[in-house]
Amino acid sequence: ISQGNKQEIDMLEEDSEEEPKLKYERLANGVTEILQKDAASCMTVHDKFLALGTHFGKVFLLDIQGNLTQKFDISPVKINQISLDESGEHMGICSEDGKVQVFGLYTREGFHENFDCPVKVSKFFLCCLPKLLLYEKNWLNRWKTSTLHEGEGTITNVQWRANLIAWANNMGVKIYDISTKQRITNVLRDNVSLRPDMYPCSLCWKDNSTLIIGWGSSIKICVVKERGHAELRDLPSRYVEIVSAFETEFFISGLAPLADQLVTLYFVKENSDHMEEEFRARPCLDIIQPLPEGYEEISSDALTVRNFQENECRDYRLEHSEGESLYYIISPKDIVVAKERDQDDHIDWLLDKKKYEEALMAAEISFKNIKRHEKIGMAYINHLVEKGDYDTAARKCQKVLGKNMELWENEVYRFKTIGQLKAISQYLPRGDLRLRPAIYEMILHEFLKSDYEGFATLIREWPGELYNNMTIVQAVTDHLKKDPTNSTLLTTLAELYTYDQRYDRALEIYLRLRHKDVYQLIHKHDLFSSIEDKIVLLMDFDKEKAVDMLLDNEDKISIDRVVEELRDRPELLHIYLHKLFKRDHHKGQRYHERQIGLYAEYDRPNLLPFLRDSIHCPLEKALEICQERNFVEETVFLLSRMGNCRRALQMIMEELEDVDKAIEFAKEQDDAELWEDLISYSIDKPPFITGLLNNIGTHVDPILLIHRIKEGMEIPNLRDSLVKILQDYNLQILLREGCKKILVADSLSLLQKMQRTQMRGVRVDGG
């Protein structure tokens, strides 16, 4: 159906939230002119064309757009029915004056017959009062007439499908099987109070075996079935089963199938609010789902056809085209075409209801036309902007505008006009599609005016090539003149300098701000030559990271250079040299002498480990520093390392007064003179004697110590100490005996092995 050649027809409930199932258009063009002078009485639909009969006895052939192609003057009175064969080459016409004509549309072959009564139906069979006659050609090419039915009044409707003929008269509906020449059934009329000429029967074949009957307000669905051989006897080979029967709210003017549903055309009468009498309302086209004893209404549309106030039930007809699922509602002054709604119609309805999100999703599912998709999307964006939902509108721009640069720039300027540039900023294209640099600069300037944090975020997120970097640098510099300490602006300026490869300026700002990214910047862009004079600043910011970086890059910044830079900051120098020493005991050997004082001043706990591990440390200098500061443990270590063990032991006993440490020192040195000095110093000190008794047994004969203890001296825990000495002695005896046994056993085993070896024969060569 061409939208341009038809006019849309209004429906009753335009504001309904339920989407209609069908769309309607008025058949115009030639039809409009015909119906202005005449009135439609019947119409037949073929896949190729339409055949329209009128009250003035004319038949018009129309294309499916309603354009006139042929005209036949058949009779001076109303055309009752038009029939076409499947090929669309022959047409049968019957009229109110009793004339029947069957002729070829493209040949001169024809059949003409006159009856003395109005003929209602023809489909290569003829219906008249009071008979139903069938005309067939015999083998001599002559017409043979058969009477199918008579005697029950006017036959008002006939429908033929395959081998089955159904007709209606005042009594009911009959079905006839041409192949067996038998009448199968008679379906009685339900409501006999209605005048059959005012409320005619509607017949429609759904398929070759299913007949739909509509009469008054009653609908019946009849299925023709085959009888089993056991049931035949004298009965017809087929029978009819009514699978569904129900009453409707209004009077039926026409029926047509729609898959497993029904399309019904209703004649509607309603009561007036001001008068007691009924008035004719607009006809309704409903889609219903038949059930065994009722139906479910799927959709209902009231149609504003011309002059509906003057029409009766008999004035409406419903014809359909099976090939294209088109439904034609025929009334005397109007013809309306109904068609199933497609995806485009669904989208249009969603747009009318302002359901833009659903319309956009539907358009994406059936993505046929990018222009239509953009149109829907723009309508949605406009709606969101009107609502004030700017964030959602901006987000939808990504999906709707796609890669259309012109649309993108138009939307940006619109958002600027309404003061919502910030809303659209995060959704601007920044990949393969890029807008003009001026667009991005405009948004950056907008943020720079009122939102430094937002400005900084965009600089981090947007690639630098989107805009002119120097333009933005100048703008930031101008703002810093008003607020020179603003950390957000300074950080952003450093990022801009970094993108512009002006790393020295970026580094200065980062160091000034003590920014965490300073180390990443140095590593990434190899800026070690730029930080040689900024080592103190780096360490003040983060000592651990700075030292690790310097040690990891000795080849770029030498140890001597670092030491030189830190000469006035000994606490920082110590941290650097200490980590250097931990990594390698030899790399910084030339600074070990200086490190002694640094450890003594800033890190005494690590002084003794340093003295132990360093082989480059001058001992005299270390001893001097430790003695000046009265570092006893360190002095003891240095004295022992320099060979003055007796003085070291004396310091332990006199200054530390730690017998355990003294004993441990004597054990380490394993010198008899040291043990003698220790015993001599301890002999008048009971706590020291207890310590010696507990530990001396394995190194010195405890009898020597016991003999030198003065009589009457009280010694703490003496009994326990003596018991321990005895236990240690017993343990030594046991160990000696065990070792002796092992030695004897090993000696005996080896002796036996030697004996066996010597007793073996020896091969002597006879030569």
Side-chain angles (χ1 to χ4, degrees):
I1 297 176
S2 172
Q3 179 82 16
N5 294 327
K6 293 183 175 66
Q7 303 171 12
E8 293 186 4
I9 188 161
D10 298 331
M11 293 194 302
L12 181 62
E13 298 181 5
E14 293 181 352
D15 297 329
S16 172
E17 286 302 315
E18 185 174 349
E19 183 177 1
K21 303 296 182 183
L22 301 172
K23 61 178 178 179
Y24 301 90
E25 295 170 329
R26 179 169 278 118
L27 195 61
N29 297 326
V31 174
T32 303
E33 185 178 349
I34 292 169
L35 297 185
Q36 285 176 351
K37 301 174 182 178
D38 204 340
S41 59
C42 62
M43 192 173 81
T44 297
V45 179
H46 191 271
D47 292 341
K48 301 177 182 177
F49 59 91
L50 309 174
L52 174 64
T54 70
H55 281 260
F56 289 173
K58 293 177 177 56
V59 174
F60 299 92
L61 297 188
L62 313 165
D63 63 18
I64 58 174
Q65 280 83 34
N67 296 303
L68 179 63
T69 59
Q70 274 186 280
K71 173 183 176 183
F72 300 95
D73 288 318
I74 302 299
S75 170
V77 294
K78 184 173 82 169
I79 303 297
N80 283 334
Q81 188 159 335
I82 304 170
S83 295
L84 299 166
D85 64 353
E86 291 183 2
S87 66
E89 296 178 357
H90 295 83
M91 181 167 61
I93 304 170
C94 56
S95 57
E96 196 73 16
D97 59 1
K99 288 183 180 181
V100 174
Q101 296 185 39
V102 180
F103 55 89
L105 294 175
Y106 311 107
T107 66
R108 296 189 176 183
E109 178 187 10
F111 169 87
H112 297 266
E113 190 68 67
N114 290 323
F115 296 88
D116 58 356
C117 55
V119 178
K120 298 295 183 185
V121 181
S122 84
K123 185 150 185 167
F124 308 128
F125 59 86
L126 309 174
C127 169
C128 68
L129 291 171
K131 298 179 181 181
L132 178 64
L133 302 178
L134 172 64
Y135 282 78
E136 298 175 280
K137 280 188 176 180
N138 58 21
W139 63 281
L140 294 174
N141 204 29
R142 293 182 180 177
W143 291 99
K144 174 186 174 184
T145 306
S146 304
T147 301
L148 301 185
H149 183 72
E150 61 180 332
E152 288 188 358
T154 304
I155 296 173
T156 57
N157 199 349
V158 177
Q159 294 294 330
W160 191 345
R161 181 77 172 244
N163 291 324
L164 298 174
I165 302 173
W167 67 88
N169 58 24
N170 294 348
M171 306 302 294
V173 176
K174 279 75 174 173
I175 301 177
Y176 182 85
D177 187 348
I178 295 176
S179 60
T180 61
K181 299 191 182 301
Q182 291 178 308
R183 195 167 78 182
I184 299 173
T185 190
N186 176 29
V187 181
L188 295 176
R189 174 184 168 196
D190 287 338
N191 192 342
V192 296
S193 64
L194 295 175
R195 287 174 52 184
D197 60 327
M198 297 295 291
Y199 299 93
C201 178
S202 296
L203 299 176
C204 175
W205 286 102
K206 179 181 179 182
D207 51 43
N208 290 347
S209 60
T210 305
L211 177 67
I212 306 169
I213 304 171
W215 209 333
S217 58
S218 170
I219 292 179
K220 292 179 182 177
I221 300 177
C222 308
V223 179
V224 178
K225 299 184 177 182
E226 300 285 343
R227 292 188 192 274
H229 292 290
E231 302 175 355
L232 282 177
R233 295 189 294 276
D234 296 328
L235 298 173
S237 61
R238 296 182 178 183
Y239 70 97
V240 171
E241 178 182 342
I242 299 176
V243 296
S244 178
F246 51 87
E247 291 290 324
T248 63
E249 187 177 356
F250 305 112
F251 299 112
I252 298 160
S253 293
L255 296 167
L258 175 62
D260 62 338
Q261 299 171 340
L262 284 181
V263 179
T264 58
L265 178 61
Y266 291 129
F267 171 69
V268 180
K269 284 188 175 182
E270 295 182 353
N271 292 320
S272 172
D273 295 335
H274 307 291
M275 298 180 290
E276 295 182 0
E277 61 183 32
E278 293 181 326
F279 68 94
R280 301 177 186 92
R282 291 185 285 182
C284 287
L285 192 71
D286 288 11
I287 298 177
I288 63 173
Q289 178 66 58
L291 303 173
E293 296 182 357
Y295 68 94
E296 178 186 354
E297 184 181 279
I298 306 301
S299 70
S300 179
D301 302 323
L303 309 180
T304 308
V305 298
R306 295 189 182 99
N307 297 349
F308 68 87
Q309 302 91 337
E310 301 173 8
N311 295 337
E312 297 287 349
C313 183
R314 65 183 178 185
D315 294 324
Y316 295 110
R317 295 195 181 207
L318 178 64
E319 298 290 341
H320 75 288
S321 172
E322 296 181 5
E324 298 185 33
S325 296
L326 298 177
Y327 300 89
Y328 293 85
I329 298 94
I330 300 106
S331 68
K333 290 295 183 180
D334 211 351
I335 298 176
V336 175
V337 186
K339 184 179 182 180
E340 286 188 89
R341 297 170 65 86
D342 57 19
Q343 189 70 358
D344 284 339
D345 299 310
H346 173 59
I347 293 171
D348 288 337
W349 182 83
L350 291 172
L351 291 174
D352 288 340
K353 297 300 178 182
K354 299 190 182 303
K355 298 182 179 182
Y356 297 100
E357 182 77 21
E358 296 175 40
L360 197 58
M361 291 176 61
E364 289 172 358
I365 292 171
S366 59
F367 196 71
K368 299 176 183 176
N369 186 327
I370 185 66
K371 293 295 183 183
R372 178 167 175 78
H373 180 260
E374 287 178 355
K375 178 182 176 183
I376 295 167
M378 290 307 301
Y380 186 25
I381 292 172
N382 293 338
H383 171 70
L384 292 171
V385 170
E386 290 172 3
K387 282 175 54 181
D389 191 355
Y390 304 113
D391 290 337
T392 306
R395 187 171 65 252
K396 292 301 175 185
C397 285
Q398 280 186 310
K399 182 184 292 186
V400 172
L401 306 183
K403 296 184 177 182
N404 191 321
M405 183 184 293
E406 182 181 354
L407 287 179
W408 265 112
E409 294 195 357
N410 289 340
E411 284 306 302
V412 171
Y413 282 115
R414 175 164 74 158
F415 273 73
K416 178 186 179 182
T417 303
I418 59 178
Q420 293 296 328
L421 272 180
K422 292 182 179 180
I424 202 172
S425 62
Q426 58 182 311
Y427 304 108
L428 289 183
R430 60 187 80 166
D432 295 336
L433 173 71
R434 293 179 180 178
L435 309 180
R436 291 182 296 109
I439 299 294
Y440 301 99
E441 292 166 15
M442 178 175 68
I443 292 175
L444 289 173
H445 282 294
E446 181 69 23
F447 273 89
L448 197 52
K449 290 177 184 176
S450 57
D451 185 359
Y452 289 162
E453 292 296 336
F455 173 77
T457 301
L458 290 184
I459 294 298
R460 283 193 296 271
E461 293 178 353
W462 284 1
E465 57 268 20
L466 291 179
Y467 48 85
N468 187 317
N469 197 66
M470 291 308 299
T471 301
I472 303 303
V473 166
Q474 185 60 48
V476 175
T477 305
D478 291 341
H479 277 266
L480 279 171
K481 291 176 182 177
K482 305 171 188 174
D483 189 2
T485 60
N486 189 288
S487 60
T488 301
L489 285 181
L490 286 169
T491 303
T492 307
L493 183 59
E495 291 172 0
L496 291 168
Y497 280 140
T498 301
Y499 177 76
D500 208 28
Q501 298 184 2
R502 296 156 73 179
Y503 304 119
D504 52 342
R505 293 198 175 187
L507 183 61
E508 288 177 7
I509 295 174
Y510 278 138
L511 287 173
R512 175 181 168 188
L513 296 174
R514 298 193 172 192
H515 196 280
K516 60 182 178 59
D517 290 343
V518 66
Y519 299 102
Q520 180 183 352
L521 181 71
I522 294 169
H523 279 289
K524 186 175 180 180
H525 302 291
D526 195 20
L527 303 179
F528 296 98
S529 60
S530 300
I531 64 169
E532 288 185 349
D533 57 348
K534 299 178 178 66
I535 293 174
V536 173
L537 288 174
L538 285 168
M539 291 194 67
D540 281 339
F541 175 33
D542 191 324
K543 299 178 181 64
E544 295 296 323
K545 279 189 177 181
V547 171
D548 288 340
M549 181 186 69
L550 292 169
L551 294 177
D552 290 340
N553 296 275
E554 284 180 43
D555 56 327
K556 298 170 182 174
I557 302 182
S558 67
I559 296 172
D560 294 340
R561 176 65 176 171
V562 175
V563 173
E564 176 65 20
E565 286 296 318
L566 297 177
R567 66 182 182 279
D568 296 329
R569 294 291 298 276
E571 75 281 6
L572 300 179
L573 178 61
H574 165 68
I575 295 171
Y576 173 76
L577 292 175
H578 172 64
K579 279 211 168 188
L580 175 64
F581 180 76
K582 296 290 284 185
R583 289 197 181 192
D584 190 321
H585 293 348
H586 307 289
K587 274 191 176 179
Q589 57 181 313
R590 61 181 295 186
Y591 301 108
H592 284 197
E593 180 177 348
R594 186 185 299 186
Q595 281 187 267
I596 300 169
L598 293 174
Y599 275 112
E601 181 69 27
Y602 302 108
D603 190 11
R604 183 187 171 185
N606 282 312
L607 175 58
L608 186 57
F610 171 73
L611 295 173
R612 285 197 182 106
D613 294 338
S614 174
I615 61 174
H616 307 289
C617 176
L619 299 180
E620 294 82 1
K621 179 68 173 177
L623 182 62
E624 179 184 346
I625 291 173
C626 291
Q627 286 178 337
E628 285 177 357
R629 295 174 180 268
N630 197 28
F631 291 170
V632 178
E633 291 186 20
E634 291 82 354
T635 302
V636 168
F637 169 76
L638 291 169
L639 288 171
S640 65
R641 189 168 173 181
M642 295 171 70
N644 195 353
C645 295
R646 300 188 73 177
R647 173 62 185 146
L649 179 63
Q650 182 182 357
M651 288 190 70
I652 294 173
M653 292 185 297
E654 293 179 355
E655 297 189 30
L656 296 180
E657 296 183 349
D658 189 337
V659 66
D660 292 330
K661 190 177 287 293
I663 293 169
E664 187 65 31
F665 181 77
K667 287 180 180 180
E668 289 177 359
Q669 304 301 320
D670 195 19
D671 186 339
E673 291 184 359
L674 287 180
W675 283 110
E676 179 62 29
D677 290 345
L678 180 58
I679 292 171
S680 299
Y681 181 80
S682 304
I683 201 66
D684 60 348
K685 298 177 180 61
F688 274 51
I689 293 174
T690 301
L692 286 171
L693 289 173
N694 286 334
N695 294 280
I696 203 174
T698 56
H699 293 80
V700 179
D701 187 352
I703 296 299
L704 297 176
L705 174 62
I706 293 171
H707 281 311
R708 296 175 65 176
I709 298 173
K710 296 179 181 180
E711 292 186 9
M713 180 181 287
E714 290 188 9
I715 300 173
N717 301 316
L718 178 61
R719 184 177 66 82
D720 294 338
S721 299
L722 293 174
V723 169
K724 187 175 185 303
I725 290 173
L726 293 174
Q727 287 175 342
D728 290 345
Y729 180 76
N730 287 335
L731 180 61
Q732 289 182 24
I733 297 299
L734 289 173
L735 288 171
R736 288 176 182 175
E737 290 179 353
C739 291
K740 183 178 179 182
K741 288 179 181 179
I742 292 170
L743 182 62
V744 170
D746 286 347
S747 299
L748 180 61
S749 174
L750 292 171
L751 179 63
Q752 291 173 343
K753 183 177 180 181
M754 183 182 72
Q755 183 184 15
R756 287 193 301 271
T757 303
Q758 291 177 345
M759 291 178 66
R760 284 189 301 186
V762 179
R763 180 178 177 178
V764 179
D765 191 353

